[in-house]
Amino acid sequence: DSGTITSAEFELHLKDPTVEAYFASLDLQVEDAWTLFRLLDAKHTNQIKIDDFVMGCLRLKGAAKSIDMAKLLQTTQRIMQRVDELSRVVQER
C-alpha cells in the first residue's frame, strides 16, 4: 500500500456503490470528485495521495467557509502581483 491512488484506480473505485454512497453523504457529485483529483494532481502524474483526497472531500462538503475564501483571495492576489512583476521585467527587455 503506497498511500497513493492513480487515476485508473480512482476510476474503478468510482464505480463502487460504497464509494458512490460516501460521496452522496458529503453532497458531492462524481464530477466534483474528478475535479478534486485533477486539482490535487498539480504535477500531472496521474496519481495523488489518498489522505489529500479524503481531506479535500471533507473540505468540499457544504458551502465554502469564509476562511477558505479569504485564503483563496490572498493566494490569487499574490499570484497577480508576481504576474505583474514578471510582465514589467519582460517589458523592460
Side-chain angles (χ1 to χ4, degrees), residues 16-65:
D16 181 338
T18 305
V19 174
E20 288 178 13
Y22 172 72
F23 289 136
S25 73
L26 296 175
D27 293 326
L28 294 176
Q29 303 296 317
V30 170
E31 185 57 36
D32 296 331
W34 268 116
T35 300
L36 178 60
F37 187 99
R38 288 188 293 270
L39 287 171
L40 293 174
D41 185 21
K43 295 180 182 178
H44 307 289
T45 60
N46 290 320
Q47 103 178 1
I48 59 171
K49 292 180 182 177
I50 295 170
D51 290 345
D52 290 346
F53 181 76
V54 171
M55 291 307 296
C57 284
L58 294 175
R59 293 198 72 167
L60 286 176
K61 180 180 179 184
K65 296 179 184 169

Side-chain angles (χ1 to χ4, degrees), residues 4 15 45 60 87:
T4 62
K15 297 175 183 173
T45 60
L60 286 176
S87 177

